[in-house]
Amino acid sequence: MAMHFASLWLLVLLAVALRDSCFGASSHSLKYFYTAFSEPSQGQPYFVTVGYVDGQVFVHYDNHTRKKQPQVSWMEKVGKEDHQYWERETQISHQHEGVFKENLETLRNRYNQSEGLHTLQRMYGCELCADGTKEGFEMYGYDGRTFLIFDTETLTWVALVPQAQITQRKLDALPALNQRIKVYLEETCIEWLKKYLSYGKETLQRTEPPEVTVRGKTEVKDGMETHVCRLDGFYPREINASWTRDGEVWKEETFNRSLAPNADGTYHSWLSIQIDPKERGRYRCHVEHDGLQEPLDLALEEPTNSKSNLMFIIIGCVMAVLVLAFLVISVVLVVMKPRIMEFFKRRQDYRAAATTDRGSNSSGRVLFSGRDTDSNSSDQNSTHFGLEVKAPGGTGSSSPTLGMKAG
């Protein structure tokens, strides 16, 4: 059970942290994450949506509040310019909530599962790269595993598990709808990203240079020196830091850096290298960041009181990682603990999923409504397929959402 929750939350965390295909301060992203639970514990929501601009939460909705709400001060500007914005976004979220509830029931039946906790996730968004390139993505996950992915090049859906093939084929049979999704991801989404960036430019488009320090120690065993280059307090998160030897990037005997957020929204990182003390003068810690007027090249200094010096550095790095891990685990425990306890009490065994394709037409997408049947008869419209567009276009979070009612 612990692995189930770990995979689910890693899916969200990794999507936020690693999905960007663009780099640089002038590259930006807008992403939305929907999560629905089939049997939430008492007091917990069963439907939650979160929006991110450049990796920072800016809007939130759940079935308890029943309202789309701003999470940053600069989003208040939106409501002042568009008085219907929050009401419109709330209504769209209400529609998504109903669709996801139906979708979970459909998938539970499709997987031939008994009652219990199951999760459905939707992730979509867009990126505006520094060179003007536009990227869009949309995907769905069920019980912590990727279910369906939209291919913006071919305007088709990729089924990652057999149970997704029913939805995939139904969606592939609706080219007009897939074209709408592409337009949203690569055009409408980008337009709203630019609007949000203008509203939050003081925060989102700021630059803060890194504070760079280099410390080292001498290893007792072989006489080699280990040096750590620490970078702290920089924004945006994109940074180029490396060790150089005689002016050239040097990767031997180096340890890859980590990158993590600070509480104030900035980031910190570090990297280490092991060298022969006789060659200390040949090495530099090279740092490039948009907050710097020019690149930094810090020389390595002779270690002093080496053991305690590096010990403090290592302790600091370890503590930073532990603090980040604690924050993530705390969030997971607060949200998931009631469900975890409930599952351990139940100890239910789920029957193995078994899906059969009836004919060459079966397909399916996560927003599922309608019976899981395969038919190409001319009178089958989108309602029979259960592929009804639930959200009108025109707002930052309104990529077309489809439904699949259980039948």
Side-chain angles (χ1 to χ4, degrees):
M1 188 57 58
M3 289 299 295
H4 170 81
F5 288 113
S7 62
L8 170 65
W9 283 97
L10 280 177
L11 184 63
V12 175
L13 295 175
L14 289 176
V16 174
L18 303 179
R19 183 59 182 77
D20 288 348
S21 59
C22 307
F23 300 94
S26 54
S27 299
H28 302 281
S29 64
L30 171 61
K31 304 173 185 178
Y32 291 94
F33 297 84
Y34 297 10
T35 304
F37 304 94
S38 59
E39 293 186 9
S41 299
Q42 186 175 5
Q44 300 296 326
Y46 63 77
F47 181 70
V48 179
T49 70
V50 183
Y52 295 82
V53 173
D54 288 353
Q56 299 186 17
V57 176
F58 77 107
V59 290
H60 175 274
Y61 170 91
D62 65 52
N63 63 286
H64 282 178
T65 63
R66 300 284 291 168
K67 290 183 179 180
K68 195 69 164 285
Q69 297 177 325
Q71 300 298 298
V72 289
S73 59
W74 52 263
M75 274 299 288
E76 297 175 0
K77 300 177 184 178
V78 182
K80 293 180 180 179
E81 293 186 7
D82 181 355
H83 299 297
Q84 302 300 316
Y85 177 87
W86 293 111
E87 180 179 351
R88 186 169 61 246
E89 287 289 320
T90 295
Q91 290 301 316
I92 292 173
S93 295
H94 289 173
Q95 295 170 350
H96 290 166
E97 179 183 327
V99 172
F100 268 65
K101 189 173 183 179
E102 295 174 354
N103 293 342
L104 274 170
E105 181 65 18
T106 297
L107 283 179
R108 190 172 65 82
N109 293 332
R110 185 177 295 179
Y111 276 82
N112 195 25
Q113 293 169 325
S114 61
E115 296 181 354
L117 175 61
H118 298 284
T119 58
L120 174 61
Q121 289 180 296
R122 179 191 185 196
M123 295 158 278
Y124 69 93
C126 57
E127 298 169 16
L128 180 60
C129 303
D131 61 1
T133 304
K134 302 174 184 179
E135 302 283 348
F137 77 96
E138 180 160 8
M139 64 184 69
Y140 294 88
Y142 181 68
D143 279 354
R145 298 181 60 189
T146 306
F147 190 82
L148 274 177
I149 297 178
F150 182 60
D151 188 330
T152 56
E153 296 297 323
T154 62
L155 298 185
T156 58
W157 291 85
V158 180
L160 276 298
V161 293
Q163 292 82 0
Q165 293 175 2
I166 297 174
T167 309
Q168 173 208 351
R169 287 194 279 265
K170 289 178 180 178
L171 288 173
D172 286 348
L174 298 172
L177 179 60
N178 292 329
Q179 179 63 40
R180 275 193 61 192
I181 295 173
K182 178 181 175 67
V183 169
Y184 171 83
L185 295 176
E186 297 183 353
E187 297 181 22
T188 308
C189 181
I190 295 293
E191 293 173 3
W192 278 95
L193 170 58
K194 292 178 179 178
K195 288 184 181 180
Y196 295 142
L197 289 173
S198 67
Y199 293 138
K201 60 183 178 181
E202 293 84 0
T203 299
L204 300 173
Q205 300 189 56
R206 76 186 193 280
T207 58
E208 296 186 25
E211 295 181 7
V212 187
T213 55
V214 178
R215 296 288 185 272
K217 81 157 188 176
T218 301
E219 300 290 345
V220 177
K221 292 182 180 180
D222 53 15
M224 298 289 282
E225 289 181 355
T226 299
H227 292 262
V228 176
C229 183
R230 180 174 175 81
L231 317 120
D232 196 24
F234 57 89
Y235 187 91
R237 59 173 287 165
E238 291 79 14
I239 191 168
N240 180 15
S242 61
W243 294 106
T244 61
R245 172 172 162 165
D246 299 332
E248 300 293 331
V249 176
W250 187 258
K251 296 184 178 180
E252 295 183 22
E253 302 297 332
T254 62
F255 187 80
N256 292 335
R257 72 177 188 268
S258 64
L259 190 150
N262 294 319
D264 61 0
T266 61
Y267 295 87
H268 66 267
S269 181
W270 63 276
L271 58 161
S272 66
I273 188 172
Q274 191 174 60
I275 66 168
D276 184 336
K278 297 177 182 178
E279 298 185 334
R280 186 188 307 124
R282 303 175 66 183
Y283 294 89
R284 298 287 187 276
C285 178
H286 179 80
V287 182
E288 296 179 16
H289 185 266
D290 288 328
L292 297 170
Q293 293 184 353
E294 58 184 21
L296 294 179
D297 285 285
L298 274 69
L300 279 60
E301 299 180 358
E302 181 177 358
T304 57
N305 195 11
S306 57
K307 264 192 176 179
S308 59
N309 230 2
L310 188 61
M311 184 59 68
F312 283 122
I313 295 173
I314 294 176
I315 290 175
C317 295
V318 171
M319 288 301 295
V321 174
L322 289 177
V323 168
L324 177 62
F326 176 77
L327 291 175
V328 174
I329 293 173
S330 296
V331 173
V332 173
L333 287 179
V334 169
V335 177
M336 292 298 193
K337 184 176 180 180
R339 300 184 181 89
I340 296 175
M341 296 302 295
E342 180 180 340
F343 262 85
F344 273 111
K345 289 179 180 179
R346 294 190 178 188
R347 294 282 186 178
Q348 290 183 319
D349 295 324
Y350 295 124
R351 289 173 286 174
T355 300
T356 56
D357 289 339
R358 304 173 199 161
S360 60
N361 253 359
S362 51
S363 61
R365 168 186 182 180
V366 163
L367 297 163
F368 334 83
S369 57
R371 298 179 175 84
D372 285 347
T373 58
D374 300 319
S375 172
N376 247 351
S377 58
S378 59
D379 63 345
Q380 281 225 312
N381 54 33
S382 62
T383 301
H384 289 121
F385 277 129
L387 303 177
E388 304 169 81
V389 177
K390 294 294 185 179
T395 65
S397 63
S398 61
S399 170
T401 297
L402 313 176
M404 205 183 236
K405 301 173 184 175

